[in-house]
Amino acid sequence: MEAYGLMPESACDSIVRANGEPVCAPAEDGKVYAFNFFMGANDAMAFLGCTPPPMSYFGMDMDISMRFGDSADQTLYPGANFADALSYRRIHTASGSPFDSLALIVHSADQEAMRQVQAAYKDLGVPQEAINGYQIPSSDVRFFDRSEDWKEALPDTLIPLLRMAQPVNKAGYEQYKKLLWPVRFYIAKEPSSRPAHPFDYQYLSRKNRFNEREQLGSAWTELVERVKSVLQEQHGARIRKEQPGSFRPFGFYDDWKAYLRTIDETSTPILPTRDGSYNVLQISDAMVESNTGLAAVGVVHARESTLDCAYQEAMLHVRSPRAPYRIESFVFWNQTDLAGSAKPFFPSDDPAADDFFVVLALPGDGCRKLGLQEKPFCRRLESRGPTLPKSFVTGGERVYVAKDSGIGPDADTAIPMTTLVFDVHF
């Protein structure tokens, strides 16, 4: 969301992250726009602007980008949200369409503050249909008590986010990204560390009517075995590792405090949201050699016959143990790439193939030798550096907004992709 609170011109001289990166930067007009901010318990922040152009998914959210420890010198970077995002399936707009339409979003932890700001914008002509409220759970955020110095209050540093995926018109999407929208802060007269009228916040439930494990589990298990058989019998592959996935360990967190316990000063934020479910995998006991290939087998969640999610993507990374944060090779498949990718492993007339995906990352010109060089689901696994041998595999999938729940699908009923590591000589 390229719409930040205007700050004094000298702000960037003194405000930096612990790692030296600035939290604000001067724009082309010479003014300074803050990327992060503190928020009081009874403050409100209002965004007034247009929603994105048509795309598979967008969600407007707020994250805790930085949290202090026991002092201002101790900082953590959770990079995680604390409430339900306003996705295209939940947002209210002036036209009734989620795309290309006027919307007002008022963020606050205090009911009365939100009501007053929403009423003021309505009096100024914003239609009722376009008014949204982003409720901040007071139990999960540390607010700025302005009666204290921030180094004593140690409030959370917040950041607004707009996630967007797979636009219909890329030119319109690029133009939209350059726009700036007005965001205004309304600071309460009386400083406080707790809201005067807190919300009784109720998180959306992840439960979905369609249970993939019950309805598709057997077919998916058979598909995994079929893929292994084809790789072994037709291409002489040696399967070295079969790694099941899980939507639970990382991004799929509904226990905020447990999530915070998993991060430290060296953690890299992954910016998760309750709008999504994340299957994050790491395979450390099947190292990647020059003749290693990878395959991922999963469910296409973005179909009416499955969970009817808004958007899905899958990815596999190869990392060096000598520099685990450095990606040596990266392969990525978006929702369009996944579509139809399982058909080579099904009878030609079997409609069930559309409910699944099989993607391949092969060494050298393996895709060409299999006659798949023109297929988006077969990618070359190549090194960006000299350390590809003896590297390990990470990756996973992101799935946004199941139709039933309006947020990411339930970890106990959605089927996460399984990854195969194999050696092959073409």
Side-chain angles (χ1 to χ4, degrees):
M1 186 185 293
E2 299 180 66
Y4 308 118
L6 191 62
M7 300 183 71
E9 292 184 5
S10 61
C12 285
D13 296 337
S14 58
I15 303 178
V16 294
R17 289 178 180 260
N19 62 5
E21 296 178 358
V23 298
C24 56
E28 292 181 0
D29 58 9
K31 297 178 181 179
V32 176
Y33 296 85
F35 290 76
N36 300 265
F37 55 89
F38 299 145
M39 194 164 191
N42 298 299
D43 296 348
M45 185 186 82
F47 161 86
L48 181 64
C50 279
T51 56
M55 57 185 58
S56 293
Y57 163 82
F58 76 79
M60 294 183 171
D61 210 349
M62 187 180 287
D63 277 22
I64 295 178
S65 62
M66 185 173 72
R67 169 163 284 188
F68 293 106
D70 296 329
S71 71
D73 296 326
Q74 298 177 350
T75 54
L76 302 174
Y77 297 93
N81 79 328
F82 44 80
D84 291 311
L86 286 172
S87 76
Y88 80 104
R89 281 181 165 167
R90 299 182 58 229
I91 197 166
H92 302 295
T93 68
S95 70
S97 167
F99 306 111
D100 282 330
S101 189
L102 177 72
L104 169 72
I105 304 174
V106 178
H107 306 71
S108 184
D110 185 82
Q111 297 184 58
E112 183 61 18
M114 180 181 290
R115 186 197 65 79
Q116 290 184 21
V117 173
Q118 289 175 331
Y121 275 87
K122 184 178 180 180
D123 290 345
L124 291 172
V126 175
Q128 179 64 44
E129 306 82 57
I131 297 177
N132 299 267
Y134 186 99
Q135 301 176 11
I136 299 177
S138 57
S139 61
D140 291 333
V141 177
R142 299 175 183 175
F143 298 102
F144 184 20
D145 184 344
R146 290 188 173 82
S147 64
E148 301 179 279
D149 184 271
W150 69 268
K151 293 182 180 180
E152 299 296 328
L154 302 177
D156 286 335
T157 303
L158 306 181
I159 183 172
L161 291 176
L162 171 56
R163 297 177 178 85
M164 298 183 284
Q166 203 166 20
V168 174
N169 184 304
K170 290 186 177 180
Y173 166 70
E174 292 299 326
Q175 182 180 13
Y176 183 83
K177 288 197 300 182
K178 299 176 183 178
L179 300 176
L180 289 171
W181 305 105
V183 172
R184 291 181 171 83
F185 281 82
Y186 300 92
I187 298 175
K189 293 180 180 179
E190 299 296 329
S192 174
S193 61
R194 307 300 300 170
H197 309 90
F199 291 98
D200 180 17
Y201 194 85
Q202 302 293 322
Y203 287 96
L204 293 175
S205 170
R206 291 193 186 271
K207 295 300 180 184
N208 302 293
R209 289 191 296 270
F210 185 83
N211 188 318
E212 285 186 343
R213 293 178 186 266
E214 292 180 357
Q215 302 296 321
L216 302 174
S218 296
W220 174 75
T221 300
E222 291 173 5
L223 176 60
V224 174
E225 294 303 313
R226 200 176 308 137
V227 171
K228 291 162 59 178
S229 177
V230 169
L231 290 172
Q232 291 170 320
E233 297 175 11
Q234 296 185 21
H235 306 297
R238 180 175 70 91
I239 308 294
R240 290 198 286 118
K241 181 71 175 182
E242 178 180 341
Q243 180 67 53
S246 173
F247 281 115
R248 191 165 292 283
F250 288 96
F252 188 102
Y253 66 96
D254 283 331
D255 186 340
W256 168 247
K257 294 179 177 60
Y259 174 74
L260 284 178
R261 288 195 294 270
T262 68
I263 62 173
D264 57 28
E265 292 84 349
T266 64
S267 295
T268 301
I270 59 173
L271 299 176
T273 172
R274 293 194 83 242
D275 254 10
S277 294
Y278 302 76
N279 168 16
V280 182
L281 66 91
Q282 177 170 317
I283 305 174
S284 56
D285 57 349
M287 294 300 180
V288 175
E289 306 285 354
S290 58
N291 64 328
T292 298
L294 306 173
V297 185
V299 172
V300 179
H301 306 290
R303 282 179 52 80
E304 290 185 6
S305 56
T306 58
L307 287 172
D308 200 7
C309 294
Y311 179 73
Q312 176 182 7
E313 61 190 21
M315 64 212 74
L316 292 169
H317 317 140
V318 175
R319 299 176 186 266
S320 167
R322 287 179 283 177
Y325 293 106
R326 175 182 174 182
I327 296 177
E328 300 294 332
S329 187
F330 174 83
V331 281
F332 168 86
W333 298 271
N334 64 25
Q335 187 162 292
T336 301
D337 300 330
L338 299 177
S341 61
K343 288 185 176 180
F345 299 92
F346 280 84
S348 59
D349 58 347
D350 192 341
D354 291 329
D355 291 338
F356 302 94
F357 71 83
V358 179
V359 291
L360 301 168
L362 301 178
D365 59 352
C367 291
R368 182 186 63 81
K369 290 182 177 180
L370 295 184
L372 300 175
Q373 66 271 25
E374 302 297 328
K375 301 296 184 180
F377 54 82
C378 192
R379 299 282 167 81
R380 181 175 180 177
L381 186 64
E382 55 186 340
S383 174
R384 294 181 179 177
T387 58
L388 181 58
K390 301 300 181 184
S391 295
F392 63 95
V393 178
T394 62
E397 58 187 322
R398 284 188 284 206
V399 187
Y400 288 124
V401 185
K403 186 174 182 179
D404 282 355
S405 63
I407 55 175
D410 178 29
D412 295 327
T413 59
I415 297 177
M417 77 180 194
T418 279
T419 301
L420 304 174
V421 181
F422 55 91
D423 292 336
V424 63
H425 297 276
F426 293 109

